[in-house]
Amino acid sequence: MGPDTRIRSFVPQRVRLTEGQQNAWDALWPRFGADVESVDRLEIPGPTVLEIGSGNGEATALMAAAAPEVHHVAVEVYEPGLAHLLIRLRAAELENLRLLRGDAVDLLERAVPERSLEGIRIFFPDPWPKRRHHKRRLVQPAFVALAASRLRPGGWLHLATDWAHYADQMLAVCEASPALTRDPASDPWYPRPDSRPLTKFEERAVREGREIRDLRYTA
């Protein structure tokens, strides 16, 4: 599906950066960041994990620091979130993390070679909770087929959400994909691995009574 007809899973928005965010952006974005539209072919210097929707970067920075041998790519549309991640990147002195601003589906379709990624992470994507908006959810059959085609043999897709209905949809879509096999440790939900940090967002969701569900599949 072309970019002109695809239903987007996000709403583009411009939000003013704080002074600290702007300083980090000015200093670090030229080196560590780029717009998706400017990427003709994603650099794959070694084992590479793509994170779709890095939010404020809390988990992203921790995962990059914990796996310095892996090249981490975070795709996000929310500029303050990317700026927060740049601040975290600088504080942790990370060299194995790159940031992309824009549409991850466009990136996967156009600039990511087939069978090239070690893994794809999608943690707490927008649930679009209203029924009339469910068609905007990212995890749909066409997207899962695209994502699976970009994973190397044995590569993995890791999903997490705090919305039960979306978790069920994710499960149904992934189970229907002939290109993916559910991790045998799941029943069907995958226990949260230590590699996925417990963030403030997730702690709040638990306090509010929402169950966190993970799914993990391999190509």
Side-chain angles (χ1 to χ4, degrees), residues 156-186:
W156 48 264
L157 172 66
H158 186 178
L159 310 169
T161 183
D162 59 328
W163 284 80
H165 185 274
Y166 200 2
D168 291 338
Q169 176 179 322
M170 290 175 172
L171 176 63
V173 170
C174 291
E175 289 290 303
S177 171
L180 294 175
T181 301
R182 183 168 13 112
D183 191 289
S186 58

Coordinates of all heavy atoms in Angstrom, one line a residue, residues 156-186:
W156 N 13.6 -11.6 15.4 CA 12.4 -11.6 16.3 C 11.6 -10.3 16.2 O 12.1 -9.3 15.9 CB 12.8 -11.9 17.7 CG 14.0 -11.0 18.2 CD1 15.3 -11.4 18.2 CD2 13.9 -9.7 18.7 NE1 16.1 -10.3 18.7 CE2 15.3 -9.3 19.0 CE3 12.9 -8.8 19.0 CZ2 15.6 -8.0 19.5 CZ3 13.2 -7.5 19.5 CH2 14.5 -7.2 19.7
L157 N 10.3 -10.5 16.6 CA 9.4 -9.4 16.7 C 8.8 -9.4 18.1 O 8.3 -10.4 18.5 CB 8.2 -9.5 15.7 CG 7.0 -8.6 15.8 CD1 7.5 -7.1 15.5 CD2 5.9 -9.0 14.9
H158 N 9.0 -8.3 18.9 CA 8.6 -8.3 20.3 C 7.6 -7.1 20.4 O 7.9 -6.0 20.1 CB 9.8 -8.0 21.2 CG 9.5 -8.1 22.6 ND1 10.5 -8.0 23.6 CD2 8.3 -8.3 23.3 CE1 9.9 -8.0 24.8 NE2 8.6 -8.2 24.6
L159 N 6.4 -7.5 20.9 CA 5.3 -6.5 21.1 C 4.9 -6.5 22.6 O 5.0 -7.5 23.3 CB 4.1 -6.9 20.3 CG 4.3 -7.3 18.8 CD1 3.0 -7.9 18.3 CD2 4.6 -6.1 18.0
A160 N 4.5 -5.3 23.0 CA 4.0 -5.2 24.4 C 2.9 -4.1 24.4 O 3.0 -3.1 23.7 CB 5.1 -4.8 25.3
T161 N 1.8 -4.3 25.1 CA 0.7 -3.4 25.3 C 0.1 -3.5 26.6 O 0.1 -4.6 27.2 CB -0.3 -3.5 24.1 OG1 -1.3 -2.5 24.2 CG2 -1.0 -4.9 24.2
D162 N -0.6 -2.4 27.0 CA -1.4 -2.5 28.3 C -2.9 -2.4 28.0 O -3.6 -2.2 28.9 CB -0.9 -1.3 29.2 CG -1.1 0.1 28.6 OD1 -1.0 0.2 27.3 OD2 -1.4 1.0 29.3
W163 N -3.2 -2.6 26.8 CA -4.7 -2.6 26.4 C -5.1 -4.0 26.0 O -4.6 -4.5 25.0 CB -4.9 -1.6 25.2 CG -4.9 -0.2 25.7 CD1 -3.8 0.6 25.9 CD2 -6.1 0.6 26.0 NE1 -4.2 1.8 26.4 CE2 -5.6 1.9 26.4 CE3 -7.4 0.4 26.0 CZ2 -6.4 2.9 26.8 CZ3 -8.3 1.4 26.3 CH2 -7.8 2.7 26.7
A164 N -6.0 -4.6 26.7 CA -6.3 -6.0 26.5 C -6.8 -6.3 25.1 O -6.5 -7.3 24.5 CB -7.3 -6.5 27.6
H165 N -7.7 -5.4 24.7 CA -8.3 -5.6 23.3 C -7.2 -5.6 22.2 O -7.3 -6.4 21.3 CB -9.4 -4.6 23.1 CG -10.1 -4.8 21.8 ND1 -9.7 -4.3 20.6 CD2 -11.3 -5.5 21.5 CE1 -10.5 -4.7 19.6 NE2 -11.5 -5.4 20.2
Y166 N -6.3 -4.7 22.4 CA -5.2 -4.6 21.4 C -4.3 -5.8 21.5 O -3.8 -6.3 20.5 CB -4.4 -3.3 21.6 CG -3.6 -2.8 20.4 CD1 -3.6 -3.5 19.2 CD2 -2.8 -1.7 20.5 CE1 -2.9 -3.1 18.1 CE2 -2.1 -1.2 19.4 CZ -2.1 -1.9 18.2 OH -1.4 -1.5 17.1
A167 N -4.1 -6.3 22.7 CA -3.2 -7.5 22.9 C -3.9 -8.6 22.2 O -3.2 -9.4 21.5 CB -3.1 -7.8 24.4
D168 N -5.2 -8.8 22.3 CA -5.9 -9.9 21.6 C -5.7 -9.7 20.1 O -5.6 -10.7 19.4 CB -7.3 -9.9 22.0 CG -7.5 -10.4 23.5 OD1 -6.6 -11.0 24.0 OD2 -8.6 -10.0 24.0
Q169 N -5.9 -8.5 19.6 CA -5.7 -8.3 18.2 C -4.3 -8.6 17.7 O -4.1 -9.2 16.7 CB -6.0 -6.8 17.8 CG -5.8 -6.5 16.4 CD -6.1 -5.0 16.0 OE1 -7.1 -4.5 16.5 NE2 -5.3 -4.4 15.2
M170 N -3.3 -8.1 18.5 CA -1.9 -8.5 18.1 C -1.7 -10.0 18.0 O -1.1 -10.5 17.1 CB -1.0 -7.9 19.2 CG -0.8 -6.4 19.2 SD 0.2 -5.9 20.6 CE 0.4 -4.1 20.2
L171 N -2.2 -10.7 19.0 CA -2.1 -12.1 19.1 C -2.7 -12.8 17.8 O -2.1 -13.6 17.2 CB -2.7 -12.7 20.3 CG -2.7 -14.2 20.5 CD1 -1.3 -14.8 20.5 CD2 -3.5 -14.6 21.7
A172 N -4.0 -12.4 17.5 CA -4.7 -12.9 16.4 C -3.9 -12.7 15.0 O -3.8 -13.6 14.2 CB -6.1 -12.4 16.3
V173 N -3.4 -11.5 14.9 CA -2.7 -11.1 13.6 C -1.4 -11.9 13.5 O -1.1 -12.4 12.4 CB -2.5 -9.6 13.6 CG1 -1.6 -9.2 12.4 CG2 -3.8 -8.8 13.5
C174 N -0.7 -11.9 14.6 CA 0.6 -12.6 14.5 C 0.5 -14.1 14.4 O 1.2 -14.8 13.6 CB 1.5 -12.3 15.7 SG 2.0 -10.6 15.8
E175 N -0.5 -14.7 15.0 CA -0.8 -16.1 14.9 C -1.2 -16.5 13.5 O -0.9 -17.6 13.0 CB -1.9 -16.5 15.9 CG -1.5 -16.5 17.3 CD -0.5 -17.6 17.7 OE1 -0.8 -18.8 17.4 OE2 0.6 -17.3 18.2
A176 N -1.8 -15.6 12.8 CA -2.3 -15.8 11.4 C -1.2 -15.7 10.4 O -1.3 -16.0 9.2 CB -3.4 -14.9 11.0
S177 N 0.0 -15.1 10.8 CA 1.1 -14.9 9.8 C 1.9 -16.2 9.6 O 2.5 -16.7 10.5 CB 2.0 -13.8 10.4 OG 3.2 -13.7 9.6
P178 N 2.0 -16.6 8.3 CA 2.8 -17.8 8.1 C 4.3 -17.6 8.2 O 5.0 -18.6 8.2 CB 2.4 -18.2 6.6 CG 2.0 -16.8 6.0 CD 1.4 -16.1 7.1
A179 N 4.7 -16.3 8.3 CA 6.1 -16.0 8.4 C 6.7 -16.0 9.8 O 7.9 -15.8 10.0 CB 6.4 -14.7 7.6
L180 N 5.8 -16.1 10.8 CA 6.2 -15.9 12.2 C 5.8 -17.2 13.0 O 4.8 -17.8 12.7 CB 5.5 -14.7 12.8 CG 5.9 -13.3 12.2 CD1 5.1 -12.3 12.9 CD2 7.4 -13.1 12.4
T181 N 6.7 -17.5 14.0 CA 6.4 -18.6 14.9 C 6.5 -18.0 16.3 O 7.5 -17.4 16.7 CB 7.5 -19.7 14.7 OG1 7.5 -20.2 13.4 CG2 7.2 -20.8 15.7
R182 N 5.5 -18.3 17.1 CA 5.4 -17.8 18.4 C 6.5 -18.4 19.3 O 6.8 -19.6 19.2 CB 4.1 -18.1 19.1 CG 4.0 -17.5 20.5 CD 2.6 -17.4 21.1 NE 1.6 -18.2 20.4 CZ 1.0 -19.3 21.0 NH1 1.4 -19.8 22.1 NH2 0.0 -19.9 20.3
D183 N 7.2 -17.6 20.1 CA 8.2 -18.1 20.9 C 7.7 -19.2 21.8 O 6.6 -19.0 22.4 CB 8.8 -17.0 21.8 CG 10.1 -17.4 22.5 OD1 10.0 -18.2 23.5 OD2 11.1 -16.9 22.2
P184 N 8.3 -20.3 21.9 CA 7.8 -21.5 22.7 C 7.6 -21.2 24.2 O 7.0 -21.9 24.9 CB 8.8 -22.6 22.4 CG 10.0 -21.9 22.0 CD 9.6 -20.7 21.2
A185 N 8.3 -20.1 24.7 CA 8.2 -19.8 26.1 C 6.8 -19.1 26.4 O 6.5 -19.0 27.6 CB 9.3 -18.9 26.6
S186 N 6.1 -18.7 25.4 CA 4.8 -18.0 25.7 C 3.7 -18.9 25.7 O 3.7 -20.0 25.2 CB 4.6 -17.0 24.5 OG 4.6 -17.6 23.3

